[in-house]
């Protein structure tokens, strides 16, 4: 016991200077960082040395045709997403219905639109006049389909219906995340059917639904570029029209890419704040810094703007 007590006393009186701190060597981390920097530097060098006429990029960046195409891209995104969200909620409710007819139709709808490429769907809607020559009510109103379903209309209908299939799965997952006890409590209070869904279930499901919706909006913005295949004058199509005349292919593609990146960056900021808002009190105790908070900390600016 005496020897053990003596050893413990010696350890307790050791000087901290006798210890040597050994830092872990993260070889893999350093190697991955070096490779990433090398690849990034190679890409930047390739663009810097490449035969790209940068003044042409600046010249066409704010060209009227490019700006008009960008505006149409935004319009396609907003209208198609509005159709997709509204119809997606309806299809999601049908998927959760106990009615076998509604369940079967909604399942078939999702199966068809998720199982075929968007490019193929665009071509089908663009050529729908071959299958349905006229649209209307006989004796009251009737018009040729080719006059009504223009390339822009075909793109909006196609993108909206396609988005509804994916949105329905997002909404369905959000509804299923709400505890069944909420529905049972609503029934006990005499609230049934659509009213219970709209006033009790869906508001609680929004915490799960809204963050993926941000991803869907960003995806829709980029998917609108496929509409150029049927002649819609969105930004990519306008860029193609220009470079087919002046042969500045890479320059015009860079112009279109820059506008896409600007739009996606703005949407990403909105998505960030939405996810942060709905994450309060449900994920982590401390929320990540917002872009404004990061900028304030970086520049040393005091303030409590969130």
């Amino acid at each position: 016991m005496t020897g053990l007590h003596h050893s413990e006393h010696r350890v307790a009186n050791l000087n901290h200077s006798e210890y040597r701190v050994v830092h872990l060597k993260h070889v893999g981390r350093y190697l991955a960082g070096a490779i990433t920097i090398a690849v990034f530097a190679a890409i930047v060098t390739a663009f810097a040395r490449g035969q790209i006429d940068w003044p042409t990029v600046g010249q066409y960046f704010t060209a009227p045709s490019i700006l008009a195409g960008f505006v149409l891209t935004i319009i396609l995104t907003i209208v198609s997403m509005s159709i997709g969200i509204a119809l997606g909620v309806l299809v999601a409710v049908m998927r959760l219905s106990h009615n076998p007819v509604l369940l079967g139709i909604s399942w078939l709808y999702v199966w068809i639109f998720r199982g075929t490429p968007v490019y193929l769907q665009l071509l089908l809607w663009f050529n729908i006049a071959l299958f349905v020559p006229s649209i209307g009510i006989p004796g009251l109103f009737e018009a040729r389909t080719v006059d009504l379903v223009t390339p822009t209309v075909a793109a909006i209908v196609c993108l909206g219906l396609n988005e509804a299939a994916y949105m329905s799965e997002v909404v369905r997952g959000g509804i299923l995340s709400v505890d069944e006890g909420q529905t049972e409590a609503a029934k006990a209070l005499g609230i049934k059917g659509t009213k219970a869904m709209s006033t009790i279930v869906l508001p609680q499901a929004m915490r799960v639904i809204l963050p993926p919706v941000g991803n869907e909006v960003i995806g829709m913005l980029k998917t609108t570029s496929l509409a150029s295949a049927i002649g819609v004058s969105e930004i990519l199509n306008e860029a193609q029209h220009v470079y087919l005349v002046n042969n500045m292919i890479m320059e015009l593609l860079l112009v279109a890419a820059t506008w896409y990146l600007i739009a996606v960056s703005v949407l990403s900021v909105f998505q960030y704040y939405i996810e942060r808002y709905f994450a309060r009190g449900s994920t982590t105790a401390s929320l990540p810094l917002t872009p404004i908070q990061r900028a304030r900390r970086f520049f040393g600016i005091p303030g409590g703007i969130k």
Side-chain angles (χ1 to χ4, degrees), residues 14-286:
L14 282 176
N15 194 333
H16 290 291
S17 61
E18 297 181 12
Y19 293 94
R20 184 170 62 91
V21 178
V22 179
H23 297 281
L24 295 177
K25 296 181 179 180
H26 303 283
V27 179
R29 182 187 303 176
Y30 299 145
L31 182 61
I35 293 175
T36 302
I37 294 174
V39 171
F40 180 76
I43 295 174
V44 173
T45 303
F47 273 92
R49 295 181 177 179
Q51 296 181 352
I52 299 176
D53 188 3
W54 293 104
T56 300
V57 176
Q59 176 187 350
Y60 284 98
F61 186 74
T62 55
S65 59
I66 296 297
L67 293 179
F70 180 71
V71 170
L72 183 56
T73 297
I74 300 300
I75 293 174
L76 287 174
T77 302
I78 294 174
V79 178
S80 299
M81 279 303 304
S82 300
I83 296 174
I85 292 174
L87 189 56
V89 173
L90 178 61
V91 174
V93 174
M94 292 171 63
R95 289 289 303 273
L96 297 173
S97 174
H98 297 290
N99 188 321
V101 177
L102 296 179
L103 179 61
I105 293 176
S106 60
W107 180 88
L108 184 65
Y109 176 90
V110 174
W111 177 67
I112 291 175
F113 281 93
R114 291 179 64 192
T116 54
V118 180
Y119 186 82
L120 173 62
Q121 295 174 29
L122 280 169
L123 295 177
L124 288 173
W125 281 104
F126 182 64
N127 295 283
I128 193 67
L130 300 175
F131 179 68
V132 184
S134 61
I135 299 175
I137 302 174
L140 294 178
F141 168 77
E142 193 169 1
R144 297 192 310 165
T145 304
V146 69
D147 296 328
L148 295 177
V149 185
T150 62
T152 302
V153 172
I156 290 175
V157 172
C158 173
L159 295 176
L161 294 179
N162 180 79
E163 179 60 35
Y166 290 91
M167 189 59 63
S168 67
E169 293 299 289
V170 173
V171 175
R172 187 170 69 94
I175 293 175
L176 292 176
S177 68
V178 179
D179 190 87
E180 293 182 0
Q182 300 293 320
T183 305
E184 295 175 358
K187 291 180 179 179
L189 294 173
I191 306 173
K192 299 180 181 179
T194 307
K195 188 175 181 180
M197 179 63 67
S198 61
T199 59
I200 296 177
V201 178
L202 279 178
Q204 297 182 68
M206 294 303 289
R207 180 181 60 83
V208 178
I209 293 174
L210 280 182
V213 170
N215 291 329
E216 292 295 322
V217 174
I218 293 175
M220 175 62 71
L221 175 70
K222 295 180 291 184
T223 305
T224 56
S225 62
L226 294 176
S228 61
I230 59 175
V232 178
S233 298
E234 45 79 53
I235 187 169
L236 181 58
N237 196 12
E238 291 293 344
Q240 290 174 326
H241 287 163
V242 175
Y243 74 61
L244 287 175
V245 175
N246 61 14
N247 203 33
M248 295 291 185
I249 299 176
M250 185 59 71
E251 288 78 4
L252 269 300
L253 291 178
L254 287 175
V255 169
T258 304
W259 276 114
Y260 277 118
L261 288 173
I262 292 173
V264 169
S265 299
V266 173
L267 291 175
S268 298
V269 172
F270 282 105
Q271 180 189 8
Y272 179 90
Y273 279 100
I274 290 174
E275 291 184 359
R276 189 175 186 272
Y277 176 81
F278 282 94
R280 295 183 305 175
S282 60
T283 53
T284 57
S286 58

